[in-house]
Amino acid sequence: PLPLPKSCLEFERTWKTIINDREAQCKFLKALPPQKLALIFKDSLSVVVLKWVLDSVLTLVDSQAEDEDTGRLLLGVLKGLANVPRFSMTLMFLSTKDKKVLLPLWESAMIATEGTDLKHILVDIKKLYNI
């Protein structure tokens, strides 16, 4: 298993080793304790990291919607990131192009989770991300 990061820099370093491996991303993200993300990222959550995580979580939730336990853990990461200091400022730096790329991922995940408890969680998280 990959070591849990203690800082944003460690997170980025680890992520770059699994950037093309969705299965490894899933395992890594599921292992992250959402309540500790504010401590890991402090005030250094970058737009790039946010996009990496959003892309991965939304894609994984879409492809694994029938596995609600995995979905809850992955969506917990998105909730945890919303508690990182300066999160709202990081969101402001998402470009229109970034949002256009992310919007279909949100919509696809919403469709995939229809009729599950994950749908309600996803709706609440989408409000936090304002995309």
Side-chain angles (χ1 to χ4, degrees):
L2 295 167
L4 289 180
K6 293 182 176 63
S7 68
C8 185
L9 185 62
E10 286 182 16
F11 180 94
E12 287 184 43
R13 194 175 307 132
T14 300
W15 194 264
K16 287 177 182 176
T17 68
I18 60 172
I19 200 154
N20 294 314
D21 184 345
R22 285 283 188 216
E23 187 176 329
Q25 290 172 8
C26 186
K27 289 177 184 174
F28 180 64
L29 291 169
K30 285 175 25 179
L32 290 176
Q35 68 278 13
K36 293 191 178 183
L37 292 177
L39 295 171
I40 292 169
F41 288 99
K42 297 182 177 72
D43 62 354
S44 54
L45 177 63
S46 70
V47 170
V48 171
V49 169
L50 183 60
K51 288 189 310 185
W52 285 342
V53 174
L54 276 168
D55 176 79
S56 184
V57 168
L58 293 172
T59 301
L60 288 163
V61 167
D62 180 12
S63 67
Q64 300 181 23
E66 69 283 347
D67 184 350
E68 289 195 39
D69 291 336
T70 293
R72 275 189 187 70
L73 290 170
L74 293 170
L75 293 175
V77 172
L78 295 186
K79 274 188 178 178
L81 286 179
N83 294 319
V84 170
R86 300 171 57 134
F87 170 76
S88 57
M89 184 179 289
T90 303
L91 280 181
M92 289 182 351
F93 287 105
L94 278 174
S95 69
T96 303
K97 182 180 176 185
D98 295 333
K99 291 177 182 180
K100 282 183 180 179
V101 169
L102 292 169
L103 191 57
L105 296 176
W106 279 108
E107 291 170 354
S108 188
M110 293 285 218
I111 291 167
T113 58
E114 193 65 47
T116 70
D117 290 339
L118 294 178
K119 172 74 176 246
H120 303 293
I121 298 168
L122 198 54
V123 167
D124 290 342
I125 291 171
K126 191 170 187 286
K127 290 175 190 171
L128 295 172
Y129 281 76
N130 199 24
I131 295 175

